[in-house]
Amino acid sequence: MRFLHTSDWHLGRSFHRVDLLDAQAAFVDHVVATASDRGVDAVLVAGDVYDRAVPSLAAVELFDRALRSLAGLGVPTVMISGNHDSARRLGVGAGLIERAGIHLRTDPAGCGTPVMIGDVACYGLPYLEPALVRDELAAPKAGHEAVLAAAMERVRADLATRPDGTRSIVLAHAFVAGGEPSDSERDITVGGVAAVPAGVFDGVDYVALGHLHGSQVITDRVRYSGSPLAYSFSEATHRKSMWLVDLAADGAVTAERVDCPVPRPLARIRGHLDELLEDPALTRHEQAWVEATLTDAQRPADAMARISTRFPHTLSLAFDPERADGDPHASYARRLSGRSDQQIAEDFVAHVRGGSGPDDRERTVLQGAFDAVRVDDGVREVAR
């Protein structure tokens, strides 16, 4: 059996104000063509179909086009909701759409009910927000590992009732330990922890992951497809692709990367403005989308206009004067770089107290406040 694993379409998302809808449409056509040309038995979409809980009309129309094209091929599609999607909105009409071979899995209660593709049981685990699904899944606590483990218990229980030789696939939207994040994923940290161990998925033949935007191999059986397009300059070195997965009769997995169309390459360049304008080594970036960081001691006049004469597709211009790390005049952004909201809040507490940071109880209160705000923001967005 052959499967095409993709995820994180983020339909409707732009890139530094550049509309990506045409590029996303080209990717959708690429998925359909690959499914047709490579003899795919099913397409797996591991969440974040949309970029927003309430997507634009143009994004919904593109989603409709994708479903109609895949249904027209007669290729089954199994799709789960991600943390950017509104699970309830994405799941509207799921029962009717299923008749066309499009299987939307957005309800946590259905984790243990597979879509059968031949003798392969495909279990769709939508993004599981711990605070919202803990009771539904009877998880012992509200954490990512706990709710995923509870969902996987249902998967294993159902799989145990299947005939011998039944192969299994799980689609999940999560941050699995060992994965490398980028700047464009929304934070899903709960209680100071975002990642779950890969071992939570033990017992199935293949795990099609979504959430992280870089294509990655956690184990031979646990993989991220990554997003089909770059959604931040931190992805400038990514090779955007999908996994073409062959699942042998004995459950052995082989996988091939299928490259996605690239609308325009990305480049991150750094240095003094005059050097960037003259360096012959940068010629290859002249038609790329560019993030330029200027390190001049003084901010150059008309910097964007000047950099754009050589790099007309410059989308981001930053200033980071060359200074020692301990320099009190180092930029605010540099001082906060790599620090979480929790760490910044704890540093603030230490600052106003003259050096005494929060104790364990206060850290727990701060973390609880950040978790509550993040969950509340998600609930409010879905309710709009």
Side-chain angles (χ1 to χ4, degrees), residues 363-384:
R363 288 191 183 92
T364 300
V365 170
L366 283 171
Q367 187 63 66
F370 283 121
D371 289 349
V373 168
R374 185 181 54 78
V375 172
D376 185 60
D377 284 347
V379 171
R380 286 175 180 272
E381 186 174 4
V382 170
R384 280 167 46 195

Side-chain angles (χ1 to χ4, degrees), residues 301-319:
D302 301 320
M304 179 57 92
R306 292 174 63 192
I307 200 75
S308 295
T309 60
R310 184 178 187 188
F311 306 101
H313 303 288
T314 299
L315 300 182
S316 175
L317 182 63
F319 298 92

Side-chain angles (χ1 to χ4, degrees), residues 37-372:
D37 297 344
R38 302 298 297 270
V40 168
D41 293 296
V43 174
L44 313 176
V45 186
D48 279 354
V49 177
Y50 291 120
D51 189 54
R52 297 173 53 197
V54 186
S56 67
L57 178 59
V60 175
E61 289 174 339
L62 181 54
F63 177 62
D64 176 66
R65 170 178 156 184
L67 297 190
R68 285 188 288 110
S69 298
L70 289 167
L73 284 180
V75 176
T77 298
V78 184
M79 182 177 293
I80 63 172
S81 50
N83 62 301
H84 278 249
D85 299 307
S86 164
R88 293 179 64 185
R89 281 190 173 86
L90 187 63
V92 168
L96 182 61
I97 295 172
E98 191 160 16
R99 299 180 186 179
I102 308 295
H103 306 274
L104 300 175
R105 292 294 185 261
T106 64
D107 185 353
C111 286
T113 304
V115 176
M116 295 304 300
I117 310 293
D119 68 347
V120 178
C122 294
Y123 299 89
L125 278 54
Y127 172 66
L128 302 174
E129 175 57 60
L132 302 180
V133 305
R134 174 186 178 181
D135 293 341
E136 172 71 41
L137 296 176
K141 59 182 180 179
H144 287 297
E145 183 175 356
V147 296
L148 267 173
M152 285 300 300
E153 285 179 7
R154 297 189 178 193
V155 168
R156 295 187 189 95
D158 179 84
L159 194 55
T161 69
R162 302 284 166 179
D164 291 344
T166 299
R167 292 166 290 173
S168 56
I169 289 178
V170 165
L171 289 78
H173 196 86
F175 187 170
V176 175
E180 182 67 30
S182 61
D183 293 343
S184 55
E185 298 117 7
R186 183 179 292 171
D187 181 29
I188 60 170
T189 301
V190 174
V193 179
V196 300
V200 77
F201 298 109
D202 285 351
V204 297
D205 293 309
Y206 184 73
V207 182
L209 292 175
H211 181 57
L212 299 185
H213 288 181
S215 178
Q216 301 172 60
V217 179
I218 305 300
T219 73
D220 285 345
R221 297 184 182 275
V222 181
R223 298 170 184 253
Y224 282 100
S225 66
S227 61
L229 298 169
Y231 292 119
S232 71
F233 277 104
S234 66
E235 300 165 60
T237 60
H238 286 189
R239 173 188 166 192
K240 296 300 183 181
S241 58
M242 306 176 287
W243 287 111
L244 192 65
V245 179
D246 287 317
L247 189 59
D250 63 356
V253 172
T254 57
E256 172 191 346
R257 289 180 74 176
V258 178
D259 290 331
C260 297
V262 178
R264 191 180 293 278
L266 306 187
R268 305 179 99 171
I269 60 176
R270 180 185 181 88
H272 291 191
L273 177 56
D274 289 340
E275 294 171 353
L276 298 181
L277 293 175
E278 298 171 4
D279 187 352
L282 300 180
T283 300
R284 67 187 189 280
H285 298 317
E286 289 179 352
Q287 296 306 311
W289 280 323
V290 168
E291 176 192 70
T293 301
L294 304 184
T295 59
D296 303 72
Q298 299 296 323
R299 185 182 298 246
D302 301 320
M304 179 57 92
R306 292 174 63 192
I307 200 75
S308 295
T309 60
R310 184 178 187 188
F311 306 101
H313 303 288
T314 299
L315 300 182
S316 175
L317 182 63
F319 298 92
D320 187 16
E322 293 174 341
R323 293 191 174 102
D325 289 341
D327 190 325
H329 297 99
S331 71
Y332 183 68
R334 177 184 286 187
R335 283 183 278 133
L336 296 187
S337 177
R339 304 188 69 75
S340 67
D341 290 343
Q342 175 87 10
Q343 290 170 322
I344 293 169
E346 291 181 12
D347 287 349
F348 176 76
V349 172
H351 173 73
V352 297
R353 287 179 173 173
S356 175
D359 58 26
D360 289 344
R361 182 188 65 82
E362 291 168 329
R363 288 191 183 92
T364 300
V365 170
L366 283 171
Q367 187 63 66
F370 283 121
D371 289 349

